[in-house]
């Protein structure tokens, strides 16, 4: 081995996360949330609501209300783009000092990201008797889509969700009185963006954006440096090149963008997670929503262990995010680990031939198949090495262009085993089972 260390078998650095929206959303109907969550309903007239849940509201011109709230949302978006805090806070309940303080922090955070585009759009009205009793009969609770594009980072506008509560202060004037009332009803990851936390510091470099707690300049500088190295490595190593950007979020919060580091397994083992960013919300165009990109969220417990190779792994997930959701987990994680282990500027080369043999003798000899999606993360010590070995074999035998093409088609169309085997046979002449047998044969030769 000499001074070359064998690649570390990280247990969960690239662990996949549950999609931000586990149920369908459309502008006509938002379906019920997972695990008995409340349904999100499209705004309708009061008469159309179930009698036992419909709030008693005064006669309100719904068209006029929608137009007035649209104007509030437009003013808030323009205020961020124009760095006008007074305009951003003008439509917020001035008597609610806690809300004012939270919204002031939100504004300060948002202006640091450098949005090229920003807009808010009403989606679906919500009904909650307790909220109505709190704020009065004119209470209007609504799910909102936030469409944004960070300059130099997002290649296309992307979307997330939040919820607002308004009430009519004067005839035709609607005021924001809460920004948290329906957070638990919204799909996972909603209202959990980096700018929704406490005060943050945003640092930029070419094709890199890093978010840390306010005052953590040293950490921001460190992460910007290793993120820049990782972006260059993935751009160089991923077949066809990658021209995207790396967003790294390293906050003290344990739940950000759906990455949940309160879960014991994640809290202990995970270093970072690539969290999906969507160009369309689920239900607009497709049931799952169209992925545009990923932002990497670092586990605050393991922050000191992050290096350029870790981020290269995660940025490979970013580079492949737009392909689709259906690629087998062994290919998703195997490809990210393959790029992570390649020679990289500023990082010591790894003893890959020795590691390859170790994986064959320690893991492949005992395995019965490639790691299955359902149990991949239950057995990370073997799943990651075996997946790397499979992708290493594919790159060596068929070349990077073919592997990347295979990945794209599997991610887009491989929603079941029959389709996966068809696509793999078409591209490399091997089903998943045949690929596993080929790995066994190569190890024996």
């Amino acid at each position: 081995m000499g001074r070359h260390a064998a690649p570390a078998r990280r247990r969960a650095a690239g662990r996949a996360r549950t999609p931000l929206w586990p149920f369908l959303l459309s502008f006509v109907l938002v379906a019920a949330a997972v695990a008995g969550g409340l349904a999100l309903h499209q705004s309708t007239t009061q008469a159309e609501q179930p009698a036992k849940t419909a709030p008693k509201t005064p006669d309100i011109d719904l068209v006029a209300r929608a137009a007035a709230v649209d104007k509030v949302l437009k003013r808030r978006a323009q205020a961020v783009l124009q760095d006008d805090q007074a305009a951003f806070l003008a439509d917020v309940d001035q008597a609610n000092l806690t809300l004012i303080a939270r919204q002031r922090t939100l504004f300060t955070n948002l202006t640091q990201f450098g949005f090229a585009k920003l807009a808010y759009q009403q989606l679906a009205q919500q009904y909650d008797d307790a909220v109505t009793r709190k704020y009065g009969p004119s209470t209007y609770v609504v799910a909102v889509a936030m469409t944004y594009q960070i300059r130099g980072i997002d290649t296309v506008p992307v979307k997330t969700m939040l919820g607002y509560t308004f009430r009519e202060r004067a005839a035709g004037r609607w005021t924001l009185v809460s920004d948290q009332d329906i957070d638990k009803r919204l799909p996972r990851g909603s209202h959990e963006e980096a700018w929704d936390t406490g005060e943050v510091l945003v640092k930029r470099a070419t094709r890199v954006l890093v978010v840390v707690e306010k005052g953590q300049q040293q950490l921001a500088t460190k992460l910007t440096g290793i993120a820049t190295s990782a972006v260059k490595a993935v751009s160089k190593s991923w077949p066809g090149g990658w021209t995207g950007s790396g967003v790294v979020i390293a906050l003290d919060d344990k739940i950000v963008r759906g990455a949940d580091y309160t879960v014991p397994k994640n809290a202990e083992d995970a270093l970072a997670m690539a969290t999906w960013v969507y160009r369309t919300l689920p239900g607009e165009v497709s049931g799952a929503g169209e992925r545009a990109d990923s932002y990497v969220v670092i586990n605050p417990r393991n922050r000191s262990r992050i290096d350029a190779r870790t981020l290269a792994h995660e940025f490979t997930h970013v580079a492949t995010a737009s392909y689709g959701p259906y690629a087998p987990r062994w290919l998703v994680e195997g490809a990210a680990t393959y790029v992570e282990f390649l020679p990289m500027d500023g990082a010591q080369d790894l003893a890959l031939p020795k590691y390859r043999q170790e994986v064959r003798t320690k893991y492949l000899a005992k395995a019965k198949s490639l790691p299955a999606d359902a149990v991949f993360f239950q057995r990370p010590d073997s799943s990651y090495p075996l997946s790397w070995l499979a992708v290493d074999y594919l790159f060596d035998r068929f070349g990077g262009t073919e592997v990347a093409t295979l990945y794209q088609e599997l991610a887009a169309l491989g929603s079941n085993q029959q389709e996966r085997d068809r696509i793999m046979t078409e591209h490399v002449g091997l089903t998943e089972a045949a690929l596993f047998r080929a790995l066994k044969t190569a190890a024996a030769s």
Side-chain angles (χ1 to χ4, degrees), residues 367-432:
K368 304 296 183 183
S369 66
L370 293 173
D373 291 357
V375 298
F376 190 98
F377 297 120
Q378 296 174 20
R379 306 165 186 168
D381 286 343
S382 60
S383 294
Y384 278 94
L386 286 172
S387 297
W388 170 82
L389 187 68
V391 173
D392 178 62
Y393 176 88
L394 292 174
F395 266 87
D396 181 64
R397 181 172 175 184
F398 300 101
T401 299
E402 192 61 55
V403 173
T405 303
L406 171 67
Y407 193 144
Q408 291 179 49
E409 191 161 342
L410 282 170
L413 302 173
S415 57
N416 57 59
Q417 192 61 54
Q418 182 179 359
E419 281 299 292
R420 287 180 176 183
D421 285 341
R422 177 191 65 78
I423 293 166
M424 287 195 61
T425 301
E426 178 181 322
H427 284 277
V428 297
L430 298 167
T431 63
E432 287 185 288

Side-chain angles (χ1 to χ4, degrees), residues 42-51 54 62 127:
Q42 171 64 20
S43 178
T44 62
T45 64
Q46 180 179 341
E48 294 172 332
Q49 301 305 314
L62 300 184
Y127 296 95

Side-chain angles (χ1 to χ4, degrees), residues 350-372:
L350 303 176
L352 293 181
K354 183 177 179 66
Y355 180 62
R356 186 178 297 111
Q357 186 57 39
E358 180 185 345
V359 174
R360 286 171 172 173
T361 56
K362 188 173 183 179
Y363 300 108
L364 181 62
K366 300 176 183 178
K368 304 296 183 183
S369 66
L370 293 173

